[in-house]
Amino acid sequence: MMKVLYFAWLRERIGKAEEEIDPPASVVTASDLIEWLRGRGEEYALAFNNPKIVRVAFDRTHVQPGAKIGGAREIAFFPPMTGG
Amino acid sequence: MSEVHISERTIDTTAEAAALSGLANAGALVTFSGICRRDEDGSPIAALFLEHYPGMAEAEIERHVEEAKTRWPLLGVRVVHRTGRITPGETIVFVAAASSHREAAFAAAEFLMDYLKTRAPFWKKVERADGSADHWVEAHDKDDAAAARWRKPKDAAE
């Protein structure tokens, strides 16, 4: 089991801020997880319709899409940042 | 006092600056305030809504504060970011850097702002004055370019 967080328009499109998920062993990288999530329903397909622009963090650290999930417990998906 | 603070409270920029200007040997204090504009892309706005990733936002800024301290001889640093609903004219973000001389203070404040804009997990949503649908602000390539110029040669390939 892992905790997944969604922010900004990803959160709005999916309709929730966080959830616990249990993906299959074939899900190894952040990109794999996005592909798996896309298959979970229309709201996920809409949120991840352009996976290239989605940013990922493992345990509150930025990672590249090809990064292996390994033992990460908290995975966050969000749009490019617009603070400041 | 912690160097990084994120909350929904109004930012008192005068008090924040005063906390650093009294430091011994501080001959230079550079402060930057990012303020909510009255219009976005030519349309008047009612407010901005700032969302963040609690925990990660603080950690990312703190990491860059530490990086700034290794690059410049800083005597004090303060980064304050507001979240929630912010109306035109109000301060969204405040960055201050104190040093003995101005070069380090200017550079550190700019470095912190450039990284904050591209690496700290905050997102802005625009509430338009005419009541049309809210929309999320899109990231700007120029912000990425501004952050990239601080990269050291060894990590230029990243």
Side-chain angles (χ1 to χ4, degrees):
Chain A
M1 293 291 283
M2 60 182 78
K3 186 178 177 183
V4 188
L5 307 179
Y6 309 107
F7 291 96
W9 49 257
L10 279 146
R11 170 178 54 72
E12 289 182 341
R13 290 179 185 178
I14 291 167
K16 58 182 106 172
E18 61 177 81
E19 62 183 322
E20 295 280 337
I21 57 166
D22 191 10
S26 59
V27 170
V28 176
T29 66
S31 294
D32 294 343
L33 184 55
I34 288 175
E35 278 309 307
W36 183 74
L37 287 167
R38 271 156 63 100
R40 295 186 90 201
E42 280 179 21
E43 66 275 34
Y44 291 92
L46 176 66
F48 292 107
N49 70 351
N50 185 3
K52 280 183 190 161
I53 64 169
V54 174
R55 305 296 178 92
V56 189
F58 290 169
D59 294 329
R60 303 177 176 185
T61 301
H62 291 290
V63 296
Q64 295 298 314
K68 290 188 172 149
I69 297 165
R73 304 172 80 99
E74 182 174 292
I75 298 178
F77 295 103
F78 44 82
M81 291 144 281
T82 57
Chain B
M1 184 169 70
S2 170
E3 292 166 323
V4 177
H5 187 73
I6 299 172
S7 85
E8 294 197 2
R9 286 204 306 273
T10 303
I11 301 173
D12 183 345
T13 56
T14 307
E16 296 291 350
L20 290 184
S21 62
L23 294 170
N25 297 319
L29 172 65
V30 168
T31 66
F32 170 82
S33 297
I35 297 161
C36 178
R37 276 185 286 272
R38 290 179 194 283
D39 59 61
E40 193 75 27
D41 301 326
S43 309
I45 72 165
L48 287 177
F49 187 83
L50 264 287
E51 177 173 333
H52 78 304
Y53 181 173
M56 181 171 170
E58 289 86 346
E60 268 299 309
I61 298 171
E62 280 163 9
R63 211 162 57 76
H64 287 101
V65 166
E66 292 309 310
E67 165 88 23
K69 287 181 184 169
T70 67
R71 292 193 182 207
W72 297 283
L74 302 174
L75 296 167
V77 178
R78 180 81 167 150
V79 180
V80 187
H81 204 302
R82 237 181 114 178
T83 57
R85 192 170 186 272
I86 299 170
T87 53
E90 291 188 312
T91 301
I92 302 166
V93 63
F94 174 84
V95 168
S99 187
S100 293
H101 299 283
R102 73 179 184 283
E103 294 85 353
F106 271 123
E110 198 166 20
F111 166 88
L112 287 168
M113 269 311 299
D114 285 346
Y115 271 101
L116 188 149
K117 292 206 73 107
T118 55
R119 304 288 291 178
F122 290 88
W123 303 274
K124 284 194 190 93
K125 192 176 198 180
V126 178
E127 193 183 308
R128 288 198 195 279
D130 65 7
S132 60
D134 295 352
H135 71 275
W136 291 96
V137 171
E138 288 195 26
H140 295 293
D141 290 342
K142 68 178 171 61
D143 290 332
D144 286 328
R149 73 203 160 106
W150 297 102
R151 283 190 201 160
K152 291 172 178 169
K154 71 170 174 59
D155 55 29
E158 280 179 14

